[in-house]
């Protein structure tokens, strides 16, 4: 049996230098995400979302990014889920992308707000029919007696809405407005490259190198 303490990897694929990185973190993210997609790694759009509850206990889960621009990073989910409840009480979150094959990590922090109803509607109606029915069928994060509950709910709502299920009022999008970014590139001998971008009062970004 392998001793997990002995598992090691040497990171040697690339480097991240201040002179070769973008001054705007959104442009740097755009470049790295496009490179991750082009490399055909599994689910390059998967990101971890971390929130904190009112009792100060943090929690994480993996969701899929659905959009990004100068306004922030967008994903969609059930507002009544654990993450939805935690964001309602504390509207700050952290995101993390880990592209293992590229030896890269991106961390993003900021305030979260719901996207407009129109934006949520537009994305919801672009989803496959089964996914739209599933948004009605799953009381996300609540205790259920078994998978049969989900199957029965899906059948009920499929029969009710047929081919045109509307967006549930408890389902929609969130947008994180970044005020801090960090880009991590693995390097040999654990001397990794870490560039942090901090938003300044005037809206500009301060780029700094952090020790690994």
């Amino acid at each position: 049996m392998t001793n997990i303490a002995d598992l090691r990897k040497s990171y040697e694929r690339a480097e991240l230098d201040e002179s070769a990185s973008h001054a705007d973190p959104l442009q740097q993210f755009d470049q790295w995400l496009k490179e991750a997609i082009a490399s055909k790694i599994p689910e390059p759009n998967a990101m971890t979302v971390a929130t904190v509850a009112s009792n100060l206990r943090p929690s994480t889960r993996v969701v899929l990014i659905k959009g990004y621009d100068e306004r922030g990073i967008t994903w969609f989910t059930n507002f009544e889920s654990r993450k939805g409840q935690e964001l309602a009480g504390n509207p700050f979150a952290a995101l993390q992308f880990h592209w293992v094959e590229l030896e890269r990590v991106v961390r993003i922090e900021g305030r979260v707000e719901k996207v407009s109803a129109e934006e949520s509607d537009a994305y919801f109606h672009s989803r496959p029919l089964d996914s739209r029915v599933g948004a009605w069928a799953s009381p996300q994060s609540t205790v259920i007696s078994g998978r049969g509950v989900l199957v029965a709910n899906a059948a009920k709502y499929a029969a009710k809405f047929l081919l045109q299920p509307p967006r549930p009022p408890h389902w929609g999008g969130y947008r994180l407005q970044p005020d801090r970014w960090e880009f991590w590139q693995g390097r040999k001998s654990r001397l990794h490259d870490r560039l942090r971008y901090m938003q300044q009062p005037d809206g500009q970004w301060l780029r700094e190198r952090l020790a690994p």
Side-chain angles (χ1 to χ4, degrees):
M1 181 177 178
T2 302
N3 184 344
I4 61 171
D6 294 331
L7 294 176
R8 293 181 176 84
K9 175 182 177 178
S10 181
Y11 300 96
E12 302 179 15
R13 286 184 57 96
E15 62 185 45
L16 180 60
D17 186 80
E18 289 88 338
S19 62
S21 63
H22 293 281
D24 184 334
L26 183 63
Q27 294 181 31
Q28 185 65 37
F29 175 73
D30 178 66
Q31 176 185 326
W32 272 21
L33 178 58
K34 288 177 177 176
E35 289 175 0
I37 294 171
S39 70
K40 300 187 183 303
I41 63 176
E43 296 197 287
N45 54 333
M47 63 182 185
T48 299
V49 178
T51 56
V52 178
S54 58
N55 61 3
L56 303 185
R57 290 180 66 98
S59 62
T60 65
R61 71 288 291 160
V62 177
V63 303
L64 301 179
I65 182 175
K66 292 301 179 180
Y68 63 97
D69 55 27
E70 66 282 351
R71 297 172 299 169
I73 310 295
T74 303
W75 70 97
F76 294 84
T77 189
N78 188 315
F79 295 145
E80 296 176 354
S81 64
R82 180 178 178 182
K83 57 185 170 297
Q85 294 177 28
E86 292 179 352
L87 287 170
N90 177 20
F92 291 89
L95 311 176
Q96 179 169 292
F97 293 83
H98 186 193
W99 298 310
V100 178
E101 295 82 354
L102 301 181
E103 301 173 354
R104 288 174 172 173
V105 173
V106 179
R107 299 169 59 195
I108 313 167
E109 300 176 27
R111 186 179 183 89
V112 179
E113 64 179 15
K114 291 180 180 178
V115 305
S116 68
E118 293 76 15
E119 191 171 345
S120 289
D121 285 340
Y123 175 69
F124 182 80
H125 292 296
S126 75
R127 305 178 84 207
L129 177 59
D130 287 351
S131 297
R132 284 178 278 154
V133 172
W136 284 95
S138 175
Q140 194 174 116
S141 299
T142 64
V143 176
I144 58 176
S145 59
R147 184 170 180 81
V149 173
L150 300 178
V151 174
N153 284 349
K156 179 181 71 174
Y157 287 112
K160 178 178 180 179
F161 296 126
L162 299 178
L163 298 178
Q164 298 297 330
R167 178 175 63 88
H170 57 264
W171 191 98
Y174 286 106
R175 179 177 290 111
L176 181 140
Q177 303 167 314
D179 56 25
R180 179 179 302 193
W181 299 72
E182 183 183 322
F183 296 85
W184 181 97
Q185 176 69 62
R187 296 295 301 276
K188 190 175 181 180
S189 302
R190 297 298 186 265
L191 299 179
H192 310 304
D193 290 329
R194 295 176 62 191
L195 294 185
R196 181 180 67 184
Y197 294 73
M198 298 281 289
Q199 191 170 42
Q200 304 302 292
D202 63 359
Q204 298 300 305
W205 293 96
L206 173 65
R207 180 177 51 190
E208 302 172 301
R209 176 172 287 267
L210 302 180

